[in-house]
Amino acid sequence: MDKSWMKLSNRFCKAYMDGVSLFIDVAKHHLNEDGKTRCPCRNCLNVEYKKIDDVIADLYKYGISQSYQRWMYHGEVVDLSENVSNMSTMHNDEVLEEGDGLLEMLHDVGGQIPVGSGSIDDQDEGVESDHVQPGVAATTFDELLQ
């Protein structure tokens, strides 16, 4: 399906208007129980549900979101099988290799993450810090880094 119309700046040219018609034909088949669909305009960004006439008005007023290349909220099927197969062939040692710098970058950004049981009783009392004291989440995150 040609979506080049989505990049046109003139929202009143024939190509853009034809593209809006194409989109509306698709969107009409994906209405919720209130007769509304997600509005993909640059203002609503598929968060707002609106009646078809309001979606049309928004698409002309604001334009369609450039990032909405796959109309997944309006029934376009996204084939994830290629990504899943690529991920399934990846081995754990390929994710974080020693010396790849990722751990060092994380420590540069967040500082050293203390390792502990995560229990508040196990933490040193009286230690002042601008950072949140390590708890269960910090301990779990640190364990993931190792």
Side-chain angles (χ1 to χ4, degrees):
M1 179 180 319
D2 180 28
K3 296 178 185 166
S4 60
W5 63 273
M6 295 172 61
K7 296 179 181 167
L8 297 173
S9 59
N10 181 355
R11 293 191 291 269
F12 295 100
C13 71
K14 180 170 177 15
Y16 187 86
M17 294 191 315
D18 289 345
V20 169
S21 294
L22 172 73
F23 174 78
I24 294 301
D25 288 343
V26 172
K28 284 180 181 177
H29 298 287
H30 299 281
L31 302 176
N32 67 11
E33 57 277 351
D34 297 327
K36 296 179 178 182
T37 190
R38 291 178 186 255
C39 180
C41 78
R42 291 180 182 171
N43 190 46
C44 297
L45 300 172
N46 284 308
V47 174
E48 300 287 330
Y49 284 84
K50 295 187 173 186
K51 299 250 181 219
I52 289 291
D53 290 341
D54 295 328
V55 171
I56 294 169
D58 279 8
L59 290 176
Y60 285 115
K61 184 175 182 179
Y62 302 110
I64 191 164
S65 170
Q66 298 290 310
S67 64
Y68 194 46
Q69 294 296 312
R70 293 215 172 105
W71 298 345
M72 61 186 190
Y73 296 118
H74 298 90
E76 187 171 350
V77 177
V78 178
D79 183 14
L80 298 176
S81 61
E82 182 179 317
N83 293 339
V84 171
S85 65
N86 288 343
M87 289 175 61
S88 65
T89 61
M90 185 182 290
H91 300 287
N92 286 340
D93 57 352
E94 293 175 353
V95 176
L96 281 180
E97 294 180 9
E98 182 122 5
D100 67 357
L102 181 59
L103 291 175
E104 291 79 14
M105 285 189 288
L106 287 171
H107 289 295
D108 288 345
V109 171
Q112 293 290 354
I113 301 171
V115 179
S117 69
S119 164
I120 293 176
D121 296 334
D122 291 343
Q123 296 175 15
D124 293 334
E125 293 183 24
V127 175
E128 294 184 23
S129 172
D130 292 337
H131 301 289
V132 176
Q133 291 294 321
V136 175
T139 301
T140 304
F141 181 73
D142 191 56
E143 289 170 359
L144 288 172
L145 292 176
Q146 296 182 12

